[in-house]
Amino acid sequence: MQKLPATDGWHWIKEGFAIFRKKPAELSTLFLSYMFLMLALGIIPIIGQLLPLILVPVFAIAFMQACMNVENDHRVYPSLLLVGFRTPEVKSLLILGVLYLLAALIAIGASALVDGGLLWQALVTHGDLAPAEIKQAQQSNMSLAMLFAALVYVPAAMAFWFAAPLIVWQKMPVVKALFYSFFAVVGAGRAFLLYTLGWLVLGIMLPTMVSLLIALVIGSISVTVFILLPLSIILTVVMYCSFYPTYKQIFGKPVLVDVEA
């Protein structure tokens, strides 16, 4: 795989903003539709907690297709969210989703080496811990456990990054897509490092600075929430849009396929 300069990571972020600026309303509507669907799935007992992770690759294709539509001056409809279910490769995407879930469970389970399993318990119970457990969590290394889990998950994230579009757009089997994705990220490691750092700055420092500025000027919590909520949504949508340039630069521009709206 080709080696890329670190500056390409920042260019991907800029391209994400450029894609969003072309059709902000349509892309935001697609994202909000996705969020509402995830909330609806969460109502289903037991499996509703697993489906959002299993379906990540299926919905990832929807956002990649949306970015390709924007690039080609096509409309982005909310129904595009289901394009992954209409592709012949949907079975492979679901298998990829199961692997995605297993990797997440392994990473969280590994955190028990740091905090004795408190992070796992907190996630399983959705934070509904007993007072003694809460006190234990406050005194434990839960933050360090979260960092450790994230580090354990990094190799899996590298393998999953391009896997879904490689399966759908290049017709690769699951294992081959994971292999090519992993080594593509390795080859573009410097660019992905800057890309990750850029989003950490934009996703954490920017909202923090905005909230501090509002607190100093206005001092109203409700105004802060009113401004930060749409800002967080916009940044999330732009981040989703920036996934497409990472694929396009490394694997080339995919062929646009008309999908039923």
Side-chain angles (χ1 to χ4, degrees):
M1 294 296 175
Q2 58 179 315
K3 300 286 185 179
L4 299 178
T7 52
D8 282 352
W10 180 245
H11 292 321
W12 294 337
I13 295 175
K14 288 167 58 178
E15 286 188 56
F17 277 97
I19 292 172
F20 177 77
R21 283 197 300 268
K22 289 183 178 179
K23 294 187 183 294
E26 294 179 17
L27 289 167
S28 297
T29 300
L30 183 70
F31 173 74
L32 291 174
S33 300
Y34 169 66
M35 294 303 297
F36 283 126
L37 182 56
M38 291 301 99
L39 288 174
L41 290 175
I43 298 174
I44 304 174
I46 303 176
I47 194 173
Q49 311 304 315
L50 305 178
L51 281 176
L53 283 174
I54 294 174
L55 295 177
V56 163
V58 181
F59 292 121
I61 284 298
F63 286 100
M64 297 288 272
Q65 178 72 42
C67 292
M68 185 163 53
N69 280 16
V70 172
E71 188 178 46
N72 290 276
D73 295 321
H74 287 217
R75 295 293 302 275
V76 175
Y77 296 98
S79 59
L80 189 63
L81 193 63
L82 303 179
V83 69
F85 293 99
R86 299 196 291 265
T87 180
E89 293 76 27
V90 62
K91 182 178 178 180
S92 295
L93 292 176
L94 292 174
I95 292 173
L96 186 65
V98 172
L99 295 176
Y100 187 98
L101 174 62
L102 290 175
L105 291 176
I106 290 171
I108 297 171
S111 69
L113 297 172
V114 178
D115 69 352
L118 280 175
L119 176 60
W120 175 278
Q121 188 174 356
L123 292 173
V124 170
T125 61
H126 302 286
D128 188 17
L129 299 175
E133 293 172 330
I134 294 175
K135 183 177 180 180
Q136 184 182 359
Q138 292 173 341
Q139 297 174 347
S140 72
N141 296 320
M142 187 174 288
S143 297
L144 186 59
M146 294 174 64
L147 178 60
F148 181 73
L151 291 175
V152 170
Y153 187 74
V154 166
M158 294 166 65
F160 289 128
W161 189 266
F162 295 118
L166 287 175
I167 288 172
V168 174
W169 289 339
Q170 300 206 22
K171 311 303 178 185
M172 289 186 184
V174 174
V175 175
K176 184 177 180 180
L178 290 168
F179 177 85
Y180 270 76
S181 175
F182 179 84
F183 284 102
V185 175
V186 170
R190 291 180 299 174
F192 272 103
L193 180 59
L194 184 58
Y195 175 82
T196 302
L197 292 175
W199 276 117
L200 285 175
V201 171
L202 290 172
I204 297 176
M205 294 185 63
L206 180 60
T208 300
M209 292 173 62
V210 171
S211 62
L212 288 175
L213 182 61
I214 295 172
L216 290 173
V217 176
I218 301 177
S220 171
I221 296 178
S222 58
V223 173
T224 302
V225 174
F226 181 77
I227 294 176
L228 284 184
L229 182 58
L231 176 62
S232 298
I233 292 174
I234 290 171
L235 287 175
T236 303
V237 177
V238 173
M239 183 177 68
Y240 277 46
C241 291
S242 70
F243 296 164
Y244 177 70
T246 69
Y247 175 90
K248 187 176 68 172
Q249 180 165 2
I250 295 175
F251 293 100
K253 184 176 179 179
V255 177
L256 179 66
V257 178
D258 290 331
V259 293
E260 183 180 353

